[in-house]
C-alpha cells in the first residue's frame, strides 16, 4: 500500500482493534467527588470525543461518552467543601501529624495502582498517547508519589528539632497555604495534574481539581481511591467549561493557591480574577519554544537521535519539546540527510499499535492549524522535506520537517505544539543565541557539539536565558527530582519532587525567648505530645 493510501485509511474498523484495547462505550461519567461523597450528576453531559476517528466517509471522531457540564453553583459547592475541610487551618487535615497525612497518600498510591490498565486505556483513547508512553505516564506518576513521600520524610526529619539563636528558641516547619485549585494540561493529564495535586495535599492543603479539557474520563477510575483515602472535603472535583466553573472560584478570593499548567494567556486571566492577587500563591507551567542549537562539530548521530526524540515524542505535544532546530550552515546538508530519513522511519498509526510513535491529535482544529502554518512557510520559500509531510487525515497530521524556516514565519516564533519540525540555519553562533534572548519564552535549550570550550562559552550566557541547558541531549522535564521551571512566559515557581513541597507550603515557626518558664512549657508540650506542629517526633 502506498504511503498516501495508508494515511487515507489510517483509522481502523472497530472490530479490527484488538479486544483488550477497546473501551466499553459509551462511558458516561456522572460521578463527581464532593465533600467526601461520590455524587451522581443529574445535569447535562459534555460530550467526550476520542482523537481516534471512525473509518470511511468524512472522518468523524468517535464519541467516547460524556462528563458533567457543571455550573458556577456546582463549583461553589466544591469550594465550600474544600474551605470547610480546611476550616481556616483548623481542620483535621491541615492540623494532622505529617506521618498520618503520609499514610493517607500512601493508601491512595496503593489503590491507584489497581486502576493502571483502565487509566492507560483511556489515555490512549482520549489524548492519543501511545500505549508505551501511557504506561510510562502512569508509572512515572506512581513513582512521583512514592518519591514525594520520601522527600517529605526528609524534610520533616530536618524540621523535627529546635534551634536556638540569639537567646530565642525556635521550631521551624512548613505549614499549608489553604485551598489549592489544581488544573493540569491535556498532554500529561494524569502526571502533570498529580505533580501539583499530590504535593498540595500532602502538605496539608485541601484541593479542588479540574481535569484538563481533554483527558477527563481517565481520572474517573481514581475517584473512588480519592474518596477512600482522604477525609471528606480534602479532595473535590469540578468539571465543565473553564470560564463558567473556574472564573467564580477565582473571583471568590477564597483560593489560596493556583496550580495551573497551560497557556500564559489563561494563567493571566485566572490571576487577575482574584480580588487580592497578593494573597494568591501561583505555581504555573506555561508555554515554551525550546531551541536545539547544532554546532559545526556536533556528533550528527547523537544530534539526530535526540532531535527526533525531542521534537516528535508524543507528536511534539510536550511543553519541553524541541520546537525549532538551528543548524550551522556548514553541516545543514549532512544533518538533513540523516534527520529526514529518521523522521520518515517513525512508525505511525493508532496509539495501541506496537512501536507506534506518531498518533492522531486530540485538540480540535489542530491539524488545520499545523497545515496553515506549514503552508504559510512554504509560501514564504520553505519546503517540506519528508515524504507526505503535513498530510492531514481527519485528526491525524503526518509529521513535517520544514526547511528553511526564517524570521517572519509563524513557525519561527509560534509554539506549534504538534508534529511540525522547523529547521533554520545560522552562520554565527550569535544568531542562535539572539533567538533565545529575544524569545518571549525561557524554559530550556539543547546544545549539540563536541568542543568543551565552545560549549562552555555558550553555557554561561544561556543559563541566564533559560532554566536548563541540555548538552547533546533533548530538552525534558525529568528526572522528576531535578528542578523544572522557566523564565519569562514559561513558568512561575519551581516544581521538582522536593521543590513542590516548598511551593505548596510556607515556612512557619514557633519561637520563644529562652528562659526557664518557656523551656518548661516547650518541654512539656513536646514530652506530652500535645502539639502536632511543635514536635520532635522522627518519621522513619
Ligand atoms: O509538557 C511538559 C512536560 O512537563 C514535559 O515533560 O519532558 O518529561 O515530557 P517531559
Amino acid at each position: 500500500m502506498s504511503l498516501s493510501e495508508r494515511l487515507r485509511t489510517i483509522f481502523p474498523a472497530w472490530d479490527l482493534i484488538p479486544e483488550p484495547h477497546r473501551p466499553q462505550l459509551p462511558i458516561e461519567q456522572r460521578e463527581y467527588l464532593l465533600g467526601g461523597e461520590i455524587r451522581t450528576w443529574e445535569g447535562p453531559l459534555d460530550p467526550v470525543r476520542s482523537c481516534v476517528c471512525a473509518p470511511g466517509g468524512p472522518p468523524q471522531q468517535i464519541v467516547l461518552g460524556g462528563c458533567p457540564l457543571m455550573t458556577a453553583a456546582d463549583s461553589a459547592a466544591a469550594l465550600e467543601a474544600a474551605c470547610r475541610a480546611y476550616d481556616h487551618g483548623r481542620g483535621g487535615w491541615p492540623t494532622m501529624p505529617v506521618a498520618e497525612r503520609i499514610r493517607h497518600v500512601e493508601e491512595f498510591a496503593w489503590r491507584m495502582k489497581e486502576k493502571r490498565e483502565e487509566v492507560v486505556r483511556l489515555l490512549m483513547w482520549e489524548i492519543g498517547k501511545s500505549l508505551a508512553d501511557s504506561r510510562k505516564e502512569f508509572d512515572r506518576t506512581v513513582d512521583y508519589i512514592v518519591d514525594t513521600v520520601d522527600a517529605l520524610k526528609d524534610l520533616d526529619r530536618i524540621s523535627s528539632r529546635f534551634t536556638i539563636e540569639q537567646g530565642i528558641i525556635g521550631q521551624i516547619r512548613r505549614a499549608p497555604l489553604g485551598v489549592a485549585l489544581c488544573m493540569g494540561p491535556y498532554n500529561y493529564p494524569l502526571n502533570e495534574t498529580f505533580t501539583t495535586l499530590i504535593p498540595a495535599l500532602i502538605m496539608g492543603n485541601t484541593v479542588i481539581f479540574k481535569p484538563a479539557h481533554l483527558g477527563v474520563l481517565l481520572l474517573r477510575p481514581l475517584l473512588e481511591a480519592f474518596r477512600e483515602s482522604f477525609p471528606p472535603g480534602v479532595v473535590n472535583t469540578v468539571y465543565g467549561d473553564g470560564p463558567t466553573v473556574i472564573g467564580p472560584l477565582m473571583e471568590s478570593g477564597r483560593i489560596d493557591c493556583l496550580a495551573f499548567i497551560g497557556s500564559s494567556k489563561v494563567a493571566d486571566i485566572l490571576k487577575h480574577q482574584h480580588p487580592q492577587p497578593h494573597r494568591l500563591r501561583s505555581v504555573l507551567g506555561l508555554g515554551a519554544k525550546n531551541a536545539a542549537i547544532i554546532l559545526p562539530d556536533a556528533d550528527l548521530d547523537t544530534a539526530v537521535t535526540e532531535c527526533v526524540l525531542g521534537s516528535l515524542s508524543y507528536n511534539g505535544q510536550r511543553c519541553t519539546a524541541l520546537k525549532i532546530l538551528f543548524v550551522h550552515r556548514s553541516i545543514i546538508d549532512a544533518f538533513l540527510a540523516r534527520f529526514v530519513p529518521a523522521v520518515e522511519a517513525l512508525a505511525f498509526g493508532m496509539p495501541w499499535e506496537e512501536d507506534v510513535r506518531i498518533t492522531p491529535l486530540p485538540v480540535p482544529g489542530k491539524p488545520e492549524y499545523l497545515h496553515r502554518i506549514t503552508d504559510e512557510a512554504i509560501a514564504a520559500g520553505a519546503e517540506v522535506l519528508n515524504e507526505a509531510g503535513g498530510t492531514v487525515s481527519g485528526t491525524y497530521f503526518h509529521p513535517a520537517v520544514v526547511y528553511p524556516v526564517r524570521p517572519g514565519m509563524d513557525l519561527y516564533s509560534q509554539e506549534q505544539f504538534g508534529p511540525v519540525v522547523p529547521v533554520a540555519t545560522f552562520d554565527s553562533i550569535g544568531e542562535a543565541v539572539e533567538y533565545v534572548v529575544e524569545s518571549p519564552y525561557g524554559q530550556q535549550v539543547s546544545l549539540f557539539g563536541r568542543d568543551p570550550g565552545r560549549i562552555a562559552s555558550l553555557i554561561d550566557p544561556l543559563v541566564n536565558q533559560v532554566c536548563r541547558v541540555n548538552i547533546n541531549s533533548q530538552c525534558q522535564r525529568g528526572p522528576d527530582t531535578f528542578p523544572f521551571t522557566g523564565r519569562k512566559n514559561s513558568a512561575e515557581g519551581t516544581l521538582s519532587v522536593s521543590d513542590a513541597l516548598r511551593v505548596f507550603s510556607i515556612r512557619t515557626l514557633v519561637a520563644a525567648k529562652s528562659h526557664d518558664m518557656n523551656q518548661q512549657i516547650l518541654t512539656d508540650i513536646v514530652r506530652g505530645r500535645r502539639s502536632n506542629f511543635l514536635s520532635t517526633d522522627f518519621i522513619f
Side-chain angles (χ1 to χ4, degrees):
M1 201 190 286
S2 70
L3 180 54
S4 62
E5 181 64 6
R6 282 179 62 207
L7 292 174
R8 211 175 47 74
T9 56
I10 187 167
F11 296 106
W14 187 254
D15 46 10
L16 292 182
I17 298 169
E19 207 271 314
H21 301 311
R22 253 186 268 159
Q24 288 283 336
L25 300 184
I27 307 168
E28 284 203 344
Q29 174 176 349
R30 291 200 170 268
E31 306 85 347
Y32 65 102
L33 185 59
L34 176 72
E37 287 173 29
I38 294 189
R39 305 262 182 112
T40 304
W41 173 248
E42 305 290 357
L45 291 181
D46 201 6
V48 176
R49 293 186 172 80
S50 173
C51 59
V52 177
C53 295
Q60 294 278 341
Q61 286 175 251
I62 293 172
V63 176
L64 294 175
C67 65
L69 188 59
M70 290 185 162
T71 64
D74 302 303
S75 64
L79 178 63
E80 210 43 59
C83 289
R84 206 175 317 121
Y86 192 70
D87 191 19
H88 300 279
R90 296 166 302 187
W93 186 250
T95 56
M96 190 176 278
V98 171
E100 261 180 64
R101 279 208 298 265
I102 285 177
R103 276 197 287 280
H104 285 273
V105 170
E106 284 175 333
E107 179 178 347
F108 174 76
W110 179 78
R111 289 177 184 275
M112 174 179 170
K113 281 190 227 167
E114 295 177 346
K115 304 290 179 186
R116 182 175 187 257
E117 283 318 299
E118 226 177 312
V119 174
V120 163
R121 190 180 308 117
L122 287 165
L123 269 166
M124 290 193 289
W125 278 89
E126 284 193 88
I127 63 154
K129 194 165 272 193
S130 70
L131 178 59
D133 283 349
S134 296
R135 285 184 176 149
K136 222 184 281 168
E137 177 164 351
F138 190 95
D139 297 340
R140 178 181 178 179
T141 307
V142 174
D143 290 347
Y144 191 93
I145 300 176
V146 172
D147 291 347
T148 297
V149 164
D150 287 343
L152 181 54
K153 285 181 180 171
D154 282 347
L155 188 64
D156 196 77
R157 285 171 194 145
I158 297 164
S159 321
S160 291
R161 56 187 288 268
F162 287 99
T163 42
I164 304 179
E165 268 310 322
Q166 297 175 23
I168 299 183
I169 311 169
Q171 190 178 29
I172 307 162
R173 284 184 176 278
R174 300 205 71 98
L177 300 169
V179 175
L181 172 61
C182 298
M183 290 187 284
Y186 82 83
N187 61 335
Y188 279 93
L190 180 74
N191 183 261
E192 294 227 326
T193 308
F194 279 37
T195 56
T196 60
L197 179 69
I198 296 295
L201 280 174
I202 209 165
M203 294 312 287
N205 303 281
T206 61
V207 168
I208 301 168
F209 89 87
K210 179 185 176 296
H213 59 296
L214 303 161
V216 187
L217 298 175
L218 62 95
L219 292 164
R220 180 198 194 197
L222 303 177
L223 289 186
E224 212 175 282
F226 277 120
R227 185 196 56 192
E228 296 302 315
S229 312
F230 295 101
V234 169
V235 186
N236 307 277
T237 57
V238 164
Y239 302 87
D241 168 56
T244 309
V245 293
I246 298 302
L249 290 183
M250 296 307 298
E251 284 158 8
S252 74
R254 297 167 81 194
I255 298 295
D256 302 292
C257 182
L258 169 68
F260 172 75
I261 320 279
S263 74
S264 53
K265 194 170 138 217
V266 174
D268 284 344
I269 294 172
L270 296 174
K271 285 180 73 162
H272 284 118
Q273 283 172 332
H274 197 289
Q276 292 161 299
H278 64 274
R279 285 181 58 164
L280 182 71
R281 170 81 58 94
S282 298
V283 190
L284 310 173
L286 307 171
K289 178 93 178 167
N290 293 340
I293 301 175
I294 297 135
L295 297 162
D297 65 340
D299 176 290
L300 286 184
D301 287 335
T302 305
V304 165
T305 306
E306 293 294 315
C307 287
V308 170
L309 265 180
S311 56
L312 290 170
S313 296
Y314 186 41
N315 311 313
Q317 300 170 117
R318 294 160 59 227
C319 60
T320 48
L322 289 173
K323 298 196 177 101
I324 188 161
L325 312 183
F326 283 94
V327 185
H328 192 265
R329 195 179 301 281
S330 63
I331 53 159
I332 184 70
D333 292 341
F335 177 80
L336 289 171
R338 295 179 196 213
F339 186 72
V340 173
V343 171
E344 287 174 336
L346 294 175
F348 62 90
M350 296 300 106
W352 49 84
E353 288 170 13
E354 200 155 315
D355 297 330
V356 73
R357 301 281 297 280
I358 307 290
T359 54
L361 307 176
V363 175
K366 193 61 180 258
E368 293 72 20
Y369 161 76
L370 296 173
H371 199 262
R372 184 181 62 67
I373 53 170
T374 302
D375 268 1
E376 186 230 42
I378 293 169
E383 269 181 80
V384 172
L385 301 183
N386 57 310
E387 190 187 355
T391 303
V392 175
S393 178
T395 50
Y396 180 78
F397 183 94
H398 200 57
V401 181
V402 185
Y403 170 78
V405 167
R406 298 199 181 91
M409 297 176 181
D410 280 349
L411 267 181
Y412 189 81
S413 52
Q414 282 186 12
E415 182 187 15
Q416 68 273 31
F417 217 81
V420 178
V421 191
V423 183
T425 51
F426 65 92
D427 293 297
S428 104
I429 185 62
E431 295 166 48
V433 171
E434 206 52 31
Y435 177 87
V436 181
V437 172
E438 292 300 323
S439 170
Y441 302 109
Q443 193 195 62
Q444 301 190 17
V445 69
S446 288
L447 296 178
F448 292 91
R450 288 189 240 225
D451 174 9
R454 189 164 8 200
I455 300 230
S457 72
L458 286 169
I459 288 175
D460 290 357
L462 286 172
V463 288
N464 294 340
Q465 308 303 324
V466 295
C467 287
R468 176 163 165 167
V469 175
N470 300 280
I471 313 283
N472 293 314
S473 315
Q474 64 152 328
C475 295
Q476 63 182 54
R477 175 178 176 150
D480 288 328
T481 45
F482 281 14
F484 177 54
T485 186
R487 299 167 186 272
K488 299 191 264 187
N489 292 354
S490 287
E492 183 175 337
T494 302
L495 290 173
S496 72
V497 168
S498 56
D499 285 307
L501 299 176
R502 291 175 168 80
V503 160
F504 289 102
S505 60
I506 185 161
R507 264 155 62 97
T508 303
L509 62 146
V510 174
K513 286 194 175 161
S514 181
H515 50 63
D516 284 353
M517 181 177 70
N518 280 347
Q519 286 170 10
Q520 194 52 50
I521 290 171
L522 295 179
T523 306
D524 190 281
I525 292 173
V526 170
R527 289 224 176 115
R529 293 206 163 141
R530 290 160 180 257
S531 163
N532 291 335
F533 183 97
L534 199 73
S535 152
T536 52
D537 280 358
F538 190 88
I539 306 178
F540 289 99

